[in-house]
Amino acid sequence: MEPYLEIWRRSGREIAVLSDQAVTVGRGQQTAVHLADDAEVSRLHAVIARVASGWSVRDLGSRNGTYVNAERILGERVLRPDDEIQVGGVRIFFRAADVAGSLTVTQAVSRAPALTHREQAVLEALCRPVAFGDMFTEPASVRQMAAALRVTETAVKYHLGNLYVKFGISDEGDRRRVRLANDALRRGAVAISEMISASHEEVAEPRRRSESARGDVARRRSGVVEGSGRRVS
């Protein structure tokens, strides 16, 4: 069986069998994997192509980046079986024969567990560096999450402990944070595109308030009584 891509959109799962022809990904009409409904995807975002060592994915200078296993890639990255490619809000799994010649089995992606409001906030803080294209591959540290959420490190560790249990992560050490971030993205508990949109809204809101305040000052200076249209003498 030929290698294939397992594409997970909001509308469901699709399969695209790979051949010798390169597979382009983007919002443009001519792309092989057409993602017109995702505003975070560039018109020509990435390409998946056969190389001497197998298959690779290459970012084509996209605005929001291409990610492999939650790590933003710079240029080209050789793919391994079951690697996860993230383009905007779409997850693409590379399925291929391993070195022993057996095809990797497609597994249904289990739904994310139910989370409390605080656990969701900690999870988003953990994944935030990935969403905004941090050059470092590691997710946020406990200290960074505590600072972002304005809580103690002890509180962050408490909620992380609950998250490790809910996501079934039993590893020890800092690698647990990496596994948790990858699993959260894979299972849809955190959506990079939604985090970016929320950040844009946070930036725009103070600007709107500032513009509104300047308008109020201008109206007071002009001496116009709001609602009457009469100038104060």
Side-chain angles (χ1 to χ4, degrees):
M1 180 181 289
E2 293 289 338
Y4 64 93
L5 302 175
E6 183 178 335
I7 305 165
W8 287 86
R9 308 170 184 254
R10 294 182 184 276
S11 57
R13 171 177 171 269
E14 302 173 13
I15 296 296
V17 177
L18 295 170
S19 61
D20 288 334
Q21 187 173 0
V23 175
T24 52
V25 181
R27 289 191 297 112
Q29 290 288 344
Q30 303 304 316
T31 52
V33 178
H34 186 45
L35 306 175
D37 56 347
D38 194 327
E40 301 299 330
V41 176
S42 298
R43 291 182 62 81
L44 190 57
H45 196 107
V47 61
I48 299 168
R50 185 184 289 276
V51 293
S53 57
W55 289 85
S56 72
V57 59
R58 183 170 71 253
D59 184 79
L60 299 176
S62 65
R63 181 182 60 183
N64 293 314
T66 300
Y67 297 78
V68 175
N69 300 329
E71 176 186 348
R72 187 169 185 169
I73 65 172
L74 301 176
E76 189 172 26
R77 172 71 61 86
V78 174
L79 294 170
R80 296 173 297 178
D82 297 329
D83 273 352
E84 177 184 349
I85 305 164
Q86 178 127 12
V87 175
V90 176
R91 305 195 307 278
I92 303 172
F93 293 89
F94 174 68
R95 307 298 191 189
D98 59 22
V99 292
S102 61
L103 194 72
T104 58
V105 178
T106 301
Q107 297 179 347
V109 178
S110 58
R111 301 181 67 175
L115 304 176
T116 67
H117 176 75
R118 182 53 66 181
E119 288 167 352
Q120 183 69 41
V122 168
L123 199 57
E124 291 177 359
L126 175 73
C127 298
R128 191 174 182 85
V130 177
F132 293 93
D134 196 317
M135 296 256 326
F136 300 97
T137 60
E138 296 291 318
S141 67
V142 170
R143 178 177 297 180
Q144 290 170 330
M145 286 185 277
L149 298 172
R150 299 180 181 179
V151 298
T152 65
E153 293 183 24
T154 300
V156 170
K157 291 177 181 178
Y158 171 78
H159 292 297
L160 278 175
N162 290 339
L163 288 166
Y164 293 142
V165 172
K166 288 187 175 183
F167 280 85
I169 296 173
S170 57
D171 300 355
E172 296 296 331
D174 288 341
R175 299 309 299 173
R176 288 194 299 174
R177 290 186 296 108
V178 177
R179 281 202 58 197
L180 177 59
N182 288 340
D183 208 26
L185 292 167
R186 181 176 65 87
R187 295 167 66 177
V190 173
I192 287 179
S193 58
E194 292 178 5
M195 292 177 66
I196 293 174
S197 298
S199 177
H200 290 170
E201 183 63 24
E202 289 172 5
V203 171
E205 182 60 26
R207 186 179 304 157
R208 287 195 292 266
R209 290 178 182 174
S210 177
E211 291 173 352
S212 177
R214 286 199 298 270
D216 291 342
V217 170
R219 284 191 292 272
R220 285 197 295 270
R221 286 178 177 174
S222 68
V224 176
V225 178
E226 186 176 355
S228 67
R230 293 184 289 107
R231 184 175 297 277
V232 177
S233 58

